[in-house]
Amino acid sequence: MTNVVVIGSQWGDEGKGKIVDWLSSQADVVIRFQGGHNAGHTLVIDGVTFKLRLLPSGIVRKNKISIIGNGVVIDPWALLNEIEEIENKGVNISEKNLIISEAANLILPFHKEMDEIREDAAGNSKIGTTRRGIGPAYEDKVGRRSIRVMDLLSENNLERRLDTVLQHHNAIRKGLGKKIFKKDQLKKELLKIAPKILKFSQPVWKKINEFKLANKKILFEGAQGVLLDVDHGTYPFVTSSNTVASAAATGTGCGPSSIGFVLGITKAYTTRVGEGPFPTELKDEIGEELGSRGKEFGTVTSRKRRCGWFDGVLVRQTIKISGINGIALTKLDVLDELDEIKVCVGYHLNGQSIDYLPAAVDDQLKVKPIYKSFKGWKSKTKGVQDFAKLPENAKNYVKFIEKFIETKVSSISTSPERKDTILIINPFS
C-alpha cells in the first residue's frame, strides 16, 4: 500500500488545496506534519468553500481520519475557532475523526507579539512573516522551553512550564522596553480551553503504526514549499520548519519507509509571498497579468504574491533535495493568453553560468536568469481533461519542463475545479 507525501516544490501557494482534496478522497488518513496556521488550503466540496489553516484537508470528508502531528505548532485558540467555523458549514468534528499529537507545541500570545515586534523593528531587513507567532514558537521548541499539548493535563506542570518560557521571553521584552507578560491570566485562559484540546490528544506515532498494520492509505499533507525550508530554502527568508518530504516522518513519528510516493505540487509559473530572492520575478505588465489571471492573493493573509516565469533550475533543485517522484503541474490555464512564455534554464553569477541556486543569500540576490523562450498557445486550456486535447504549444511547454526537471509530470491542473485535471499517474496506485 503506497502512502503519499504532498509538498510544494516552489515557495508555496502552488495550488496544493485542490490536489490534496482529490488525494484525500482516496486516502483513509490525512496528516499535517509541519507548519502552523500561516498556511492555507482552499477546498471546494459540493459548492461549499472551506479555507483550512491548521486542520488537515481530510476533515471535510466523511469517514476520514485527520491528524495534526507533533511537527505542527498549534495556536489553540485559532484551532478552536477553525473547528467552529468548519462545523458551522455542516462538518462534524469529534475525537473519532480528529487526532492531535500530545507532543505538538503550542503558539501562545507572546509568540505572536514577538513576531510582530521583530518584523516592525527589522525595517528593510524584515523577512515577511505572517506575524502569527510561528517562528518564535519553533524557537521555544528547539530551546526546550515550549508548552506542549500534554502540558495542559496538569495545572502544576503547566505553571512550571510557563515560568520557564516566560523567564526567557520577559527578559527579551524588558530589554526591548515592552511590558512584562503576566503568567496568571495566561494560565487561567489555557486551563479554560485545555479540555477542548485534550479530548483530541493521542500518541500519534502509535496511531500511525496501527493504521499501517491495517493497510490504511495515508496522505501526509505539507504546508508552504521546499524553497521555504529552514535548511534548504532561501535562508533567512524562509519559514521556521522543515518543509521537505522527509519532515513527514519526523513530524508524525513514523519511519521514512512509511513514505511510498512524494508528489511535488508545481505551478506552471512562479510566485512568492513576502521578502527574499526571486530570480525570475517580473515587475512589469506580464507579472501583473499573471497575478490577475491567477488570482494571486494568499488564502490566509490576502497578501499579494510576486509573480515570475517558471524557474526550472529551482524546481529541479527542490526535486533532488526532497526526493520528489512526480509533479502535479497547476494553473497551466493562467498562461493561455501570452504570446511568449519563458522558462529559466540557468543563471549568470559573477560572469559565470551556473545550474543551481547557491546557498548564500547575497549570491541568490545577484543571480540573473538564463531563459529559453516558447511560443504561447493563445487558446483555451481551461477545463481540458485530456493531454491529447491540449494545444500543441502547451504540450511542448509541458514536455520541456518534464525533461528539464528530470521528473515525470503526474497530473496537470487546468482550472480550480477538481474535475479539470489531466491525470497521468495516480500516486496512490
Side-chain angles (χ1 to χ4, degrees):
M1 190 71 70
T2 297
N3 298 322
V4 178
V5 176
V6 172
I7 56 173
S9 69
Q10 294 154 309
W11 277 292
D13 307 309
E14 299 95 349
K16 289 186 289 294
K18 171 185 170 177
I19 307 299
V20 167
D21 172 41
W22 173 70
L23 288 169
S24 66
S25 68
Q26 302 177 62
D28 301 301
V29 183
V30 184
I31 308 177
R32 273 285 308 274
F33 59 87
Q34 53 78 218
H37 61 309
N38 53 342
H41 289 173
T42 301
L43 312 178
V44 181
I45 311 291
D46 298 328
V48 181
T49 299
F50 299 93
K51 293 187 177 182
L52 304 177
R53 295 169 290 277
L54 272 169
L55 292 170
S57 296
I59 200 69
V60 299
R61 294 190 169 277
K62 293 181 179 179
N63 303 317
K64 309 291 180 185
I65 297 172
S66 293
I67 298 177
I68 299 175
N70 56 275
V72 179
V73 286
I74 300 171
D75 181 324
W77 296 278
L79 176 60
L80 292 174
N81 287 338
E82 187 174 339
I83 289 173
E84 182 181 6
E85 178 185 321
I86 299 304
E87 286 187 322
N88 286 339
K89 294 189 175 184
V91 176
N92 180 50
I93 299 176
S94 70
E95 304 93 302
K96 293 182 179 180
N97 65 345
L98 177 63
I99 299 171
I100 299 174
S101 171
E102 59 186 3
N105 293 257
L106 300 182
I107 300 172
L108 300 176
F110 51 79
H111 291 131
K112 185 172 183 286
E113 289 183 20
M114 184 56 65
D115 216 353
E116 293 170 344
I117 289 167
R118 287 177 177 169
E119 280 290 276
D120 289 339
N124 292 333
S125 299
K126 66 181 179 179
I127 292 173
T129 77
T130 53
R131 297 171 176 252
R132 291 169 181 258
I134 313 293
Y138 273 115
E139 288 179 41
D140 281 348
K141 174 182 178 178
V142 175
R144 295 166 292 186
R145 54 182 172 266
S146 188
I147 309 293
R148 301 199 285 177
V149 169
M150 65 181 72
D151 294 322
L152 300 177
L153 282 165
S154 163
E155 181 175 349
N156 289 336
N157 181 58
L158 179 59
E159 182 152 351
R160 288 196 302 271
R161 299 301 301 156
L162 283 171
D163 282 335
T164 298
V165 72
L166 285 176
Q167 182 182 31
H168 172 82
H169 278 272
N170 280 338
I172 296 173
R173 293 171 72 93
K174 187 175 180 180
L176 293 171
K178 304 296 180 180
K179 287 183 179 179
I180 298 301
F181 211 94
K182 300 294 185 181
K183 176 186 70 174
D184 291 344
Q185 182 60 32
L186 178 56
K187 186 181 81 167
K188 182 180 178 181
E189 291 172 1
L190 283 169
L191 290 173
K192 181 180 179 181
I193 64 168
K196 298 177 183 179
I197 299 294
L198 288 170
K199 71 177 183 178
F200 299 110
S201 173
Q202 292 193 50
V204 162
W205 65 268
K206 191 171 185 295
K207 295 301 296 183
I208 292 177
N209 189 58
E210 292 173 9
F211 295 139
K212 286 165 59 181
L213 292 174
N215 286 325
K216 300 291 187 184
K217 290 183 180 179
I218 302 174
L219 175 64
F220 297 89
E221 180 182 1
Q224 291 101 21
V226 175
L227 290 169
L228 292 175
D229 185 276
V230 70
D231 286 301
H232 301 289
T234 48
Y235 188 92
F237 301 97
V238 292
T239 194
S240 298
S241 61
N242 286 112
T243 60
V244 291
S246 52
T250 54
T252 58
C254 65
S257 61
S258 302
I259 300 168
F261 191 98
V262 179
L263 180 66
I265 314 302
T266 308
K267 199 176 286 186
Y269 49 101
T270 310
T271 62
R272 167 160 212 175
V273 171
E275 312 302 318
F278 187 170
T280 64
E281 182 174 11
L282 294 169
K283 299 179 180 180
D284 58 12
E285 291 181 3
I286 296 176
E288 289 294 323
E289 182 177 351
L290 291 174
S292 176
R293 287 178 55 82
K295 296 180 173 60
E296 297 298 349
F297 295 90
T299 297
V300 171
T301 64
S302 296
R303 290 190 297 175
K304 186 178 180 180
R305 297 171 187 146
R306 301 152 63 190
C307 298
W309 295 121
F310 185 86
D311 194 328
V313 177
L314 277 183
V315 173
R316 184 175 60 191
Q317 187 165 323
T318 61
I319 283 170
K320 306 304 181 189
I321 288 169
S322 207
I324 292 172
N325 302 110
I327 69 163
L329 192 66
T330 64
K331 293 197 170 184
L332 184 68
D333 56 299
V334 173
L335 305 177
D336 283 355
E337 301 301 319
L338 297 177
D339 295 312
E340 182 183 44
I341 301 168
K342 296 181 180 180
V343 173
C344 176
V345 295
Y347 302 125
H348 286 304
L349 177 63
N350 299 327
Q352 294 186 323
S353 297
I354 58 173
D355 61 357
Y356 68 99
L357 187 71
V361 68
D362 288 347
D363 288 340
Q364 292 174 356
L365 290 166
K366 286 193 295 186
V367 296
K368 301 298 181 186
I370 301 169
Y371 287 120
K372 180 177 176 61
S373 295
F374 296 82
K375 287 184 178 180
W377 39 94
K378 299 290 289 183
S379 55
K380 183 180 176 181
T381 64
K382 185 172 183 178
V384 174
Q385 299 173 27
D386 182 348
F387 186 82
K389 293 181 179 179
L390 286 175
E392 203 60 36
N393 286 349
K395 291 181 194 173
N396 293 339
Y397 182 71
V398 173
K399 289 176 181 177
F400 176 82
I401 286 174
E402 185 176 64
K403 183 177 180 181
F404 185 83
I405 64 175
E406 300 170 3
T407 302
K408 290 287 185 182
V409 174
S410 64
S411 64
I412 302 168
S413 175
T414 57
S415 96
E417 298 296 324
R418 202 179 73 170
K419 63 182 178 61
D420 294 334
T421 301
I422 300 170
L423 179 62
I424 301 167
I425 300 170
N426 186 342
F428 271 124
S429 62

